[in-house]
Amino acid sequence: MKILRRTLSALLLLLIAAALLLWLEPPALLRVGANYSAKIVCSNVFLAARNPEEVLSLDVQAPGIALLKFMQVSVDREHGVVRAGFLGFIGDGLAQWQPGKGCTVVPDGKLDLNPLPTPLSAPAPAPIAAAALSPAASWPEGTAVHTELSRDRVLENDALAGPGARAIVVVDHGRIVAERYAPGFNAGTPLLGWSMTKTVMAGVIGLLVKDGKLKLDQAGFWPGKDGRERIRLSDLLAMSSGLQWNEAYGAVSDVTSMLYLQPDMAAFARAQPLAHPVGEAWLYSSGTAVILSRIAQDAAGEDLAEFIKARLFAPIGITSATIEKDEHGTLVGSSYMYATARDWARYGQFLLQDGVWQGHELLPSRYVAMMATPVAASRGQYGRGQTWLWGSDAATPGVNPDAAFGIPADTFWMSGHDGQNVAIIKSRQLVIVRLGLTPYSAGYSPQPLVKAILEATRTP
């Protein structure tokens, strides 16, 4: 009996020691998971006014990553802080809300603990100064929407909408003709676009090119003579910089380290060495998009978020969008834009109209056409301005899977993690937005939905 007690006591001491060690020096994977949990809960609580326990359950834990099942969170509304940890205390996950700016991951623990100006029990996104939208006028000039039964019925098909769908909006010739929202979500709910943010950042670069503050063939963004100084702005937009990058999720990789462990994300991405000759290889990289954000910030000469609001969002009537920052103050232009489905549709319609809105040319002539021009090294699947030319990966390398669904060849896409998609079909004057939480493992592809909408849409 004494031997058993001593053994149990020794095991207990070992467990206590292991827990203490994990608390003092948590592994990088636990820190990634904790900061991810804190960030997702923070943004959805303070931007979308959702319940934190619901967000933890549905958005963080439900997709099935085992590590995240053991995350626990706490929300400090007075200071806008969300803490998360494995079993509630391991990992030091921190994210902080700033009114009008969204949530920021705080991997170094340097919180600003000054109370917020007003306690936010059910906060809502602050509207930006956009053109007045009349409730009586039809979208996009106003807020009135008149949907059509035939296309609303297409959206009712759960198989086409896909598991985890939260919002679908169909725009035909500039008017919303069909919508669907999951329970708990509506036309006013800001939703995360993940990598669709990259396509918005490409538009921001276009604004600066039109202003003469940047040039597509501009280089010299790196000091020294190690080869990186030859990287042009156009190489970065085309994901052809040659910089080393690992975009794998679910582990500690370049992308997860950047998003959840680095206070200065752009510095981390810029420090990567060349792995390929500049301009010759295509490698999808969220780090590249954050580098573009830093370049845009430097070129704008002012707060980039305010520049985007004044020069892009306000002119086209986007009022719900927030692009969140890292701890250094750089917009996370790879991943962190929240907007309502209707505002994502506005940006899609803006691209369909070649960067022109109500007769005003906001982007350079032919700039959107450049964005949708294939990068040769991508074998046709990616455009030169942070767009996708196919709705999903090809089963046969180099063969566009959209063709099998009768989707027009001039279609290009905004695509993001967990099933975010905007299809832009110029020849049919259609924009189709689909947002949700649909892990890659679910095997969902947006093409059947787009095909069904095309078939239900009358051609002139």
Side-chain angles (χ1 to χ4, degrees):
M1 188 61 121
K2 289 183 179 180
I3 293 174
L4 178 60
R5 287 177 180 170
R6 288 174 182 171
T7 301
L8 291 175
S9 297
L11 287 173
L12 180 60
L13 288 173
L14 284 172
L15 287 173
I16 293 172
L20 181 62
L21 181 62
L22 286 172
W23 177 64
L24 292 172
E25 292 290 340
L29 183 60
L30 289 182
R31 292 187 61 218
V32 165
N35 279 318
Y36 168 80
S37 302
K39 167 67 181 62
I40 293 297
V41 171
C42 183
S43 296
N44 280 280
V45 167
F46 289 103
L47 275 175
R50 295 178 60 202
N51 177 277
E53 293 305 321
E54 174 193 83
V55 176
L56 177 66
S57 174
L58 295 182
D59 295 50
V60 175
Q61 297 175 337
I65 298 175
L67 171 71
L68 301 179
K69 298 285 187 183
F70 298 94
M71 290 293 167
Q72 298 176 18
V73 299
S74 64
V75 178
D76 176 356
R77 293 185 183 273
E78 180 183 1
H79 300 101
V81 173
V82 175
R83 293 175 168 84
F86 184 78
L87 301 177
F89 71 99
I90 299 170
D92 297 325
L94 285 172
Q96 186 162 25
W97 155 262
Q98 290 182 299
K101 298 180 180 179
C103 287
T104 295
V105 175
V106 189
D108 61 9
K110 295 179 180 178
L111 291 170
D112 175 6
L113 289 179
N114 292 317
L116 295 173
T118 303
L120 300 175
S121 57
I128 66 175
L133 299 176
S134 166
S138 294
W139 188 98
E141 293 84 5
T143 60
V145 168
H146 308 283
T147 63
E148 297 177 1
L149 182 60
S150 61
R151 286 182 279 194
D152 273 335
R153 283 178 172 167
V154 172
L155 306 194
E156 292 173 0
N157 186 318
D158 290 340
L160 294 175
R166 292 178 172 178
I168 304 174
V169 175
V170 180
V171 180
D172 184 358
H173 287 79
R175 302 297 183 199
I176 292 177
V177 296
E179 283 187 303
R180 168 179 171 167
Y181 296 97
F185 300 88
N186 56 50
T189 306
L191 294 167
L192 177 58
W194 285 112
S195 287
M196 296 201 305
T197 310
K198 294 178 173 70
T199 314
V200 176
M201 190 53 58
V204 174
I205 295 293
L207 293 174
L208 293 164
V209 170
K210 188 172 177 63
D211 285 352
K213 294 181 177 180
L214 289 172
K215 296 180 179 179
L216 290 176
D217 62 357
Q218 184 174 340
F221 298 109
W222 276 259
K225 298 292 182 181
D226 62 3
R228 293 181 298 177
E229 75 281 358
R230 295 195 297 271
I231 298 172
R232 300 168 300 170
L233 187 67
S234 58
D235 296 319
L236 292 165
L237 285 168
M239 295 291 186
S240 301
S241 68
L243 293 173
Q244 175 180 293
W245 192 258
N246 181 345
E247 188 72 13
Y249 290 84
V252 181
S253 64
D254 291 332
V255 65
T256 56
S257 180
M258 179 186 76
L259 291 175
Y260 304 112
L261 300 180
Q262 304 297 326
D264 187 345
M265 297 186 192
F268 174 79
R270 284 172 55 87
Q272 302 303 310
L274 284 174
H276 306 280
V278 174
E280 295 185 17
W282 177 79
L283 179 65
Y284 187 79
S285 164
S286 289
T288 294
V290 175
I291 292 169
L292 285 168
S293 295
R294 178 66 61 80
I295 290 172
Q297 175 71 60
D298 293 343
E302 60 181 287
D303 182 272
L304 186 58
E306 294 303 316
F307 174 85
I308 294 170
K309 288 178 181 180
R311 295 290 306 282
L312 178 59
F313 291 161
I316 69 175
I318 289 178
T319 59
S320 67
T322 300
I323 304 178
E324 297 170 313
K325 299 182 178 183
D326 71 3
E327 199 174 348
H328 191 272
T330 302
L331 295 185
V332 187
S334 64
S335 314
Y336 285 157
M337 176 167 150
Y338 279 79
T340 64
R342 289 184 181 179
D343 276 349
W344 282 111
R346 278 182 185 275
Y347 188 73
Q349 183 67 25
F350 173 66
L351 295 182
L352 184 142
Q353 296 171 183
D354 296 320
V356 176
W357 197 266
Q358 295 182 347
H360 298 287
E361 187 180 72
L362 303 184
L363 298 181
S365 177
R366 301 290 301 165
Y367 185 82
V368 175
M370 178 278 295
M371 290 174 64
T373 298
V375 177
S378 76
R379 302 191 69 179
Q381 67 179 316
Y382 202 74
R384 299 198 64 85
Q386 313 263 314
T387 64
W388 289 91
L389 306 184
W390 304 344
S392 59
D393 291 337
T396 302
V399 177
N400 183 353
D402 294 1
F405 295 89
I407 297 173
D410 65 347
T411 302
F412 64 101
W413 302 73
M414 300 165 61
S415 296
H417 184 57
D418 281 345
Q420 321 315 316
N421 296 105
V422 177
I424 300 158
I425 311 174
K426 189 167 185 179
S427 58
R428 298 289 295 273
Q429 290 292 294
L430 281 170
V431 174
I432 301 168
V433 176
R434 188 272 185 194
L435 301 167
L437 200 162
T438 309
Y440 184 78
S441 59
Y444 175 76
S445 295
Q447 289 100 327
L449 172 66
V450 173
K451 176 185 178 183
I453 292 169
L454 284 166
E455 291 174 344
T457 300
R458 297 184 299 273
T459 55

